[in-house]
Each structure stands twice: as structure tokens, then as C-alpha cells.
Amino acid sequence: MSRLSLGNGLAQPRIAAARVGIGGPVGSGKTALVECLIPALTARGIDIAVITNDLVTAEDAERIRRSGLIDPARVSAVEAGACPHTVIREDPTLNIEAADELERRFPGLELILLESGGDNLASTFSRDLTDFWMFVIDVAGGDDIPRKRGPGVIRADLLVINKVDLAPYVGVDLGCMHRDALNVRGERPVMLTNCRRGEGIESIVDLLEREVLFKT
């Protein structure tokens, strides 16, 4: 799904980096998922960068920069200043500019992960901004989330059910939650993850290589 770009006015076109959005409610584990995806993607030789979105801080970007998982220069921060969905859906200009700048600074860039600030079940990404987007929910939010059928749950290219290790402690029937998610999403995929142990991450990377980077 990478786009052609002329870049700097040159006649020779280049392939722009694919842009993958990661959205979901506050506390669902979006940043933890990014921290798991970074080493998994780089281990496969994929050249990546990250953009984080917060309301009025660069907290998530600083967390990733300090993690030691990626060159800090490859992490950009966007401050929404309002509801997070405004800069990923209504007017994604700030994120588009941040992604374009990363591509100019790192010409071999293949994939940019764009993490949204925490939002609600109605959060979606503009197709002007992303080629593929995933929506992250977690079992601690309740096993009725898929049945509520929010746009994020229904329309995302991938639904991630995170923190599956917590299911026994919060009274969630994980099997039922998974089945409900599959039921409401039709043919769109659903994956289960435990970011604390890295479980399910390789399956997500497999999907990105196949559906976004067309490497397999």
C-alpha cells in the first residue's frame, strides 16, 4: 500500500513509506504495542519510524525515545490540542507533515507507525493519512466492547484484543469476547495479544508484511 512520491521535485519516483495507524481507548496498550512492534519489525529488516499523538504533551514520544528500541530521531510527536481524533481524522495535516518530514530525513524508510492519543470506540483514521489501521481494545475494558460495535471496532483493518492475560482477574470470558469480535467484524481479522510477554506480536508483523508491505 506504499504510495509513489516524486520527492524533492526529482523526475525519478520513489516509494513512500507505508503508514499504519494504531488507535484505541485510553489505557488499552497502544504504546506498549508500539514498543513490541519496533523490535519485531526491525528484526525482519524493516526500516521504520514512529509518530505519537497526545493532547498537549509529548509523553508517549519521550517514552519511546527513552526505551532504547529505536533511534530517538526516528520518533516524532504531534500535539493534538483537542480530541485526539481531530488530527487523525478531521484534519490530519499535522500527522501528514510529520510523516513527510520523517521520509525526507530517512530516505529508506519503509513503514511509519502512527499512534493516536487515547480516544473512544468512535475513533477512526483518515485514509488520507494511513494505508492500514488497527484498533486496540483490552479485556480490562469489559468483554462487551465488541458487542457495542463502535466504528473503531467495526471498521479497523485489524482489531487487537490486548492484555489477554488479565481475563481471569477481571471476570472476562475471553473466548466469548473473541467470538463476538469475529462476529461483528465479518471478514476483517482479530488478533489477541499480551504485550507484557510479546504474545501475538509476530502474527501482527506477519499481517503487516503480507497486507501492507507485500513482502510475503
Side-chain angles (χ1 to χ4, degrees), residues 8 38 56 75-76 84 121 137 148 156 162 183-184 188-189 214:
N8 299 321
I38 290 170
V56 291
V75 182
S76 295
L121 299 183
I137 61 176
K148 292 181 178 179
N162 191 29
N183 182 56
V184 301
R188 292 189 172 98
F214 305 113

Side-chain angles (χ1 to χ4, degrees), residues 125-147:
F125 280 84
S126 167
R127 289 299 184 181
D128 291 331
L129 174 61
T130 57
D131 302 296
F132 183 98
W133 65 284
M134 61 185 82
F135 195 74
V136 185
I137 61 176
D138 73 284
V139 299
D143 55 12
D144 59 342
I145 292 178
R147 296 195 299 275

Side-chain angles (χ1 to χ4, degrees), residues 139-185:
V139 299
D143 55 12
D144 59 342
I145 292 178
R147 296 195 299 275
K148 292 181 178 179
R149 298 171 180 260
V153 171
I154 298 294
R155 292 168 51 192
D157 296 300
L158 170 64
L159 178 65
V160 177
I161 301 177
N162 191 29
K163 304 183 184 179
V164 296
D165 54 313
L166 297 182
Y169 306 104
V170 293
V172 164
D173 183 335
L174 182 60
C176 179
M177 187 176 186
H178 189 200
R179 287 191 297 273
D180 287 343
L182 292 170
N183 182 56
V184 301
R185 284 179 54 77

Side-chain angles (χ1 to χ4, degrees), residues 61-74:
E62 289 302 323
R63 169 176 162 177
I64 294 171
R65 288 170 183 151
R66 292 192 303 265
S67 69
L69 297 169
I70 189 171
D71 176 359
R74 289 175 172 264

Side-chain angles (χ1 to χ4, degrees), residues 82 113 197:
L113 300 175
R197 294 184 176 273

Side-chain angles (χ1 to χ4, degrees), residues 27-111:
S28 59
K30 297 181 297 298
T31 306
L33 178 59
V34 170
E35 290 174 328
C36 287
L37 287 172
I38 290 170
L41 289 163
T42 55
R44 301 196 190 190
I46 299 169
D47 195 331
I48 67 169
V50 176
I51 297 171
T52 67
N53 285 254
D54 277 308
L55 290 179
V56 291
T57 71
E59 179 72 23
D60 288 341
E62 289 302 323
R63 169 176 162 177
I64 294 171
R65 288 170 183 151
R66 292 192 303 265
S67 69
L69 297 169
I70 189 171
D71 176 359
R74 289 175 172 264
V75 182
S76 295
V78 169
E79 294 185 22
C83 292
H85 62 255
T86 60
V87 290
I88 65 168
R89 185 176 68 210
E90 275 77 17
D91 182 7
T93 304
L94 289 174
N95 276 287
I96 292 172
E97 289 176 349
D100 288 347
E101 174 60 21
L102 284 167
E103 288 185 26
R104 286 191 290 269
R105 288 162 53 199
F106 302 99
L109 203 55
E110 296 177 85
L111 179 66

